[in-house]
Amino acid sequence: MDFKRWVYLFCLLTVSSSKPIKADHLPISKQGVLDLSQVNFLEQTSVPLSGDWEFQWNELTSPVTNFNEASHPNKSKELSQIQTNNYISIGKRWKEIHSGIGFSTYRLKIIFPEGSHEQIFGIRFYQTGGSAMRVFVDGTLSLTLGEVGTTKETMQPTRSSGIVIIPYPKKEVSLLVHISNFHHDDGSFWYAPSIGIEKNIRNELSKEMIIDSLLAGALFFMAFYHFVLFFFRRTRKLSLFFGLFSFTTALHSISLNGDLLYYIYPEVPYRFAFSLSLIFYLAMPLYLYFLSQLYPNRFSKWIMHGFASLCIFLYSLVIFLPSELGSLTTFYGIFFSLAGLLYATFILFISAIQKQELAFSLLLIQIFLVVSAVNDTLYLYGIIHFQLVLKYSYLSTVLFQSLLLASFFTKTFTKNETLKNELATLNESLEKTVILRTNEYKEAKLHAEEANQWKDKLISLVAHDLRSPLSTVYSAITLANDKDSTPEEKSHIYKQVFTILESAMSTIENLLNLNRFQKDKGQFHLYLEETPILNQLQLVLDSFAFEMQKKSLQFDIQIPKSAVVFADRSILSEILRNIISNAIKFSHPNGIIKASCNESMETCTISIFDSGKGIPSEQQKILFTEAISSPGTLGEKGFGIGLKLCFELMKLHNGNIRVESELGKGSQFHLEFPKPKDF
């Protein structure tokens, strides 16, 4: 398989499919009001609640209290200052304006389109790192994620998400959200909630859960597979590092979407979920060690060990420090991960230039992974609004690298086995040579036997074709020496003998021309040409004049002079001689033999009919595959190889021979020759 082509095509299609969400036509909230009156939720699956929300820092405002009332109206300067901070864009980090740790209240008024009172709506709230959340709809508590509190001790963080159900809403609905965060350095709404018809929102969630489950399952399977490979071949650390990389990416892919993690383990401690979300710190060193096993002379050991030490140190801080301090390492973890990806990309680029094995394919995968990591990082910090594709890039990276590794392992295993066999059989090289020569001898012997079989058949055919004319010549000379024969009869007999002997000499010359064999395959060299059927048939009939006269046979030729067949002249003569010889042999005295020709678009068929005794049906089935000898109507004998040889000679022409016969009524043989286009 051309892995380079497949990997390039996959990366191109995946990157091209990761386009930004087209939300230009969707409304966004302005000054805490989101007007959805023009949105058709039957066509639009969901709408992000993005834009400016009313915002109150370090206040958990009552659902019925207006933010303006919570400010200080008697102090114009303070009022102005508070009102400038009364709105915040969803996704904007708290520490950009206040502190990453604290609590706040968000409020949004949603204006629904006409007819919304007939639908059930849902709002999906996504995970926010280490926060807790309470959601009120028109003053009624509708969703609780974790436990909201004003101190670290009174709150309980979570990384899960949830859905708020709004059945048959009024024209205007007030949405109020309490958020507290004391367990993560970067608190706020990370991602804008999305609103839509409740069924569509749940369908989106279900699809994401299914996809994430398949992705995680595939990654865990690949990890297990490579662990098994390492178990059986422990010298191959390549499999171990790739299995560990697959395992860590599988754990990270679960944590990327809290729904799957909390669905698998609803009571998962926040500390565990938080640590799992940053396990990608360890994935990059494992990935680099995996690549260094492929290209050991390219990767610097000092850089590798130093990089691994830094990443392990950062993850140790995540595990052992409080989560609000451990989260401070996020920026550095992302920075070092991207640095590791760029370092690997540079090494693969150099290796690809020097055309090292698999380097180009791995470089394409590496570029795709870098683009995905950069995309998700910028998305996380609200700089761009592309889709999150890192979890998909994990699977594609692991999958295609597994395919490349399979190819690499196959080649390496084959190479190692070859070297091993060469070393193990060094003392047996002579025996292998003998075996090789023996096989060559057997093959040559097989070809020689095939050639000898053909020669034996031809020699048998010579004997078959000469037996009849020689017997005829013997009988004719006996008659000529009879005292009762007149001079005229003797002269006629001598002329017939001369004709028979002349035909026999021609037959011998054709059949014993052994140069027509291929030395390596024992097959005929055919000289195919357009051969007049009537001329060849007449030459054959002249050689059987005495036999036909002896049985007083008539030969009816129904073939026009213009009829031709695309065949080898000599072989055609031998085929006709055998068929006509059998027709004479099995015809009753005073019988008739007919010859005809029929042409179609694809074949030219020569038919020979005799009114003899016919052929039994059981013999017809093996007539052309086995040697069958039967006495003629006057006791004539034969070798029984004529028709079998005719069948093989017809096969040389890519033609066919078939028979139609009925006992007591005679036989008809059809010789089907393909026309020139079939050659």
Side-chain angles (χ1 to χ4, degrees):
M1 179 184 290
D2 188 353
F3 282 109
K4 293 181 181 180
R5 183 178 303 172
W6 282 106
V7 172
Y8 174 76
L9 180 61
F10 180 83
C11 292
L12 182 63
L13 291 176
T14 308
V15 172
S16 64
S17 65
S18 301
K19 299 178 180 178
I21 303 173
K22 296 182 178 179
D24 295 340
H25 65 288
L26 298 178
I28 62 175
S29 62
K30 297 179 181 179
Q31 295 186 346
V33 178
L34 179 61
D35 187 357
L36 302 178
S37 59
Q38 302 302 317
V39 177
N40 185 354
F41 282 100
L42 296 178
E43 298 178 357
Q44 185 69 37
T45 304
S46 63
V47 176
L49 303 183
S50 56
D52 296 331
W53 288 44
E54 291 185 56
F55 176 74
Q56 191 68 34
W57 175 246
N58 277 350
E59 290 280 351
L60 295 181
T61 308
S62 170
V64 296
T65 302
N66 187 283
F67 286 168
N68 291 331
E69 297 176 359
S71 61
H72 303 277
N74 295 326
K75 299 180 181 180
S76 59
K77 184 176 179 179
E78 292 185 25
L79 178 60
S80 176
Q81 180 66 32
I82 291 174
Q83 287 178 341
T84 58
N85 293 332
N86 263 358
Y87 300 100
I88 188 171
S89 177
I90 289 295
K92 189 176 184 65
R93 299 305 200 258
W94 288 352
K95 60 183 179 181
E96 295 180 19
I97 55 175
H98 296 291
S99 169
I101 293 177
F103 55 94
S104 65
T105 303
Y106 289 78
R107 176 179 286 170
L108 178 68
K109 181 168 70 174
I110 303 175
I111 301 176
F112 283 87
E114 295 294 334
S116 297
H117 63 280
E118 299 176 354
Q119 299 286 347
I120 300 176
F121 284 81
I123 302 178
R124 183 180 177 189
F125 287 83
Y126 302 92
Q127 60 167 314
T128 57
S131 303
M133 182 185 300
R134 282 198 302 253
V135 181
F136 298 87
V137 178
D138 287 337
T140 302
L141 180 63
S142 301
L143 176 66
T144 299
L145 298 175
E147 186 68 35
V148 177
T150 56
T151 64
K152 181 179 180 180
E153 292 73 19
T154 58
M155 76 158 288
Q156 181 180 342
T158 183
R159 290 181 58 85
S160 65
S161 62
I163 296 177
V164 171
I165 307 300
I166 307 178
Y168 315 112
K170 299 177 295 183
K171 181 65 176 178
E172 296 183 2
V173 172
S174 176
L175 194 66
L176 185 137
V177 181
H178 290 165
I179 296 181
S180 63
N181 171 61
F182 292 94
H183 293 266
H184 198 282
D185 173 61
D186 194 9
S188 72
F189 260 139
W190 281 5
Y191 312 111
S194 58
I195 185 172
I197 295 177
E198 185 262 348
K199 180 177 67 175
N200 296 336
I201 294 294
R202 291 197 180 278
N203 287 340
E204 283 187 352
L205 176 60
S206 298
K207 290 178 182 178
E208 288 184 15
M209 292 277 287
I210 292 172
I211 293 174
D212 290 345
S213 299
L214 293 175
L215 289 174
L219 290 170
F220 278 121
F221 175 79
M222 296 308 300
F224 174 76
Y225 171 74
H226 286 89
F227 287 150
V228 172
L229 287 180
F230 176 72
F231 178 79
F232 287 105
R233 295 181 63 87
R234 299 189 181 183
T235 57
R236 301 293 299 179
K237 293 183 179 179
L238 184 72
S239 300
L240 174 62
F241 287 127
F242 191 76
L244 291 172
F245 170 70
S246 301
F247 183 72
T248 53
T249 52
L251 293 176
H252 185 230
S253 67
I254 291 178
S255 69
L256 286 177
N257 187 342
D259 297 295
L260 179 59
L261 179 61
Y262 281 87
Y263 179 81
I264 297 173
Y265 184 18
E267 302 300 326
V268 59
Y270 168 76
R271 182 72 190 190
F272 176 78
F274 169 73
S275 300
L276 207 61
S277 68
L278 299 180
I279 199 171
F280 69 89
Y281 292 4
L282 302 179
M284 187 47 55
L286 294 170
Y287 181 65
L288 291 180
Y289 276 118
F290 153 69
L291 292 178
S292 69
Q293 293 293 312
L294 288 174
Y295 309 104
N297 297 327
R298 294 291 175 191
F299 287 86
S300 169
K301 291 184 178 180
W302 291 102
I303 295 178
M304 294 287 297
H305 295 331
F307 181 80
S309 299
L310 283 173
C311 291
I312 293 174
F313 173 72
L314 286 176
Y315 196 65
S316 299
L317 296 179
V318 172
I319 294 176
F320 296 109
L321 290 180
S323 59
E324 65 272 18
L325 297 179
S327 62
L328 291 172
T329 65
T330 303
F331 172 80
Y332 301 100
I334 293 175
F335 173 79
F336 284 120
S337 296
L338 291 176
L341 286 173
L342 293 176
Y343 175 63
T345 304
F346 173 75
I347 296 298
L348 290 175
F349 178 75
I350 299 299
S351 301
I353 290 178
Q354 297 185 359
K355 297 182 179 180
Q356 289 190 257
E357 188 177 11
L358 302 180
F360 181 74
S361 300
L362 288 172
L363 177 62
L364 293 177
I365 298 174
Q366 182 71 20
I367 293 173
F368 174 59
L369 185 60
V370 171
V371 172
S372 301
V374 172
N375 170 79
D376 281 29
T377 301
L378 297 178
Y379 185 91
L380 178 64
Y381 286 98
I383 299 175
I384 63 174
H385 298 285
F386 279 59
Q387 293 179 349
L388 293 171
V389 295
L390 185 58
K391 57 185 177 182
Y392 303 106
S393 69
Y394 279 159
L395 178 62
S396 59
T397 299
V398 170
L399 176 61
F400 276 91
Q401 285 179 343
S402 297
L403 293 176
L404 293 174
L405 283 179
S407 174
F408 175 77
F409 285 154
T410 301
K411 293 178 182 179
T412 304
F413 178 77
T414 303
K415 184 178 180 180
N416 290 340
E417 289 297 319
T418 301
L419 293 175
K420 179 180 177 181
N421 291 335
E422 288 178 356
L423 292 175
T425 59
L426 184 61
N427 295 328
E428 302 175 3
S429 58
L430 179 61
E431 182 180 350
K432 287 186 176 182
T433 303
V434 172
I435 294 174
L436 179 63
R437 295 293 180 267
T438 302
N439 291 334
E440 292 177 353
Y441 167 74
K442 289 181 179 179
E443 185 177 356
K445 181 182 178 182
L446 179 62
H447 291 159
E449 288 176 350
E450 292 177 355
N452 286 333
Q453 288 177 2
W454 270 101
K455 292 177 183 179
D456 291 343
K457 291 176 182 178
L458 285 176
I459 291 172
S460 300
L461 184 58
V462 170
H464 176 269
D465 286 351
L466 291 182
R467 179 187 180 94
S468 178
L470 288 177
S471 299
T472 303
V473 169
Y474 177 79
S475 300
I477 293 175
T478 301
L479 290 175
N481 291 330
D482 192 354
K483 297 179 180 180
D484 297 332
S485 299
T486 63
E488 291 79 8
E489 290 176 340
K490 291 181 179 181
S491 176
H492 178 72
I493 290 173
Y494 290 147
K495 289 181 180 180
Q496 292 291 333
V497 169
F498 177 78
T499 301
I500 292 171
L501 290 176
E502 187 179 47
S503 176
M505 289 296 295
S506 176
T507 300
I508 293 173
E509 181 179 354
N510 289 332
L511 292 178
L512 297 184
N513 186 7
L514 298 181
N515 288 330
R516 304 183 70 197
F517 283 95
Q518 293 183 1
K519 293 182 180 180
D520 59 335
K521 295 183 179 179
Q523 295 181 346
F524 274 112
H525 288 293
L526 298 182
Y527 304 119
L528 300 174
E529 58 182 337
E530 290 189 348
T531 305
I533 301 175
L534 189 59
N535 290 349
Q536 294 300 116
L537 183 62
Q538 194 61 54
L539 290 174
V540 173
L541 289 178
D542 290 343
S543 66
F544 290 105
F546 190 82
E547 285 86 345
M548 294 186 65
Q549 183 178 357
K550 185 177 179 180
K551 281 192 171 184
S552 301
L553 298 175
Q554 297 182 12
F555 204 101
D556 182 13
I557 300 177
Q558 301 175 359
I559 299 176
K561 293 182 179 181
S562 60
V564 295
V565 66
F566 198 68
D568 184 292
R569 288 177 181 266
S570 299
I571 296 179
L572 176 61
S573 297
E574 296 310 315
I575 295 173
L576 291 175
R577 182 177 287 107
N578 276 277
I579 299 299
I580 293 175
S581 174
N582 283 340
I584 295 172
K585 177 180 176 181
F586 294 106
S587 291
H588 298 289
N590 300 315
I592 185 171
I593 300 174
K594 297 180 182 180
S596 62
C597 176
N598 181 38
E599 290 192 30
S600 66
M601 294 294 293
E602 299 179 352
T603 61
C604 178
T605 303
I606 302 173
S607 301
I608 307 296
F609 168 79
D610 68 76
S611 57
K613 61 181 184 179
I615 305 171
S617 58
E618 59 272 11
Q619 286 189 7
Q620 293 182 30
K621 299 177 181 178
I622 58 174
L623 193 62
F624 302 112
T625 56
E626 297 183 13
I628 302 175
S629 179
S630 301
T633 54
L634 296 182
E636 299 97 325
K637 296 181 180 180
F639 290 96
I641 65 168
L643 291 178
K644 182 180 179 182
L645 188 58
C646 287
F647 174 73
E648 295 177 357
L649 294 176
M650 287 299 297
K651 283 170 56 179
L652 291 176
H653 287 79
N654 290 334
N656 186 36
I657 180 173
R658 55 188 177 86
V659 63
E660 297 176 3
S661 181
E662 186 176 349
L663 284 176
K665 294 185 179 181
S667 304
Q668 186 169 3
F669 287 84
H670 303 282
L671 306 175
E672 299 176 348
F673 292 87
K675 291 191 173 180
K677 65 180 182 179
D678 292 338
F679 290 87

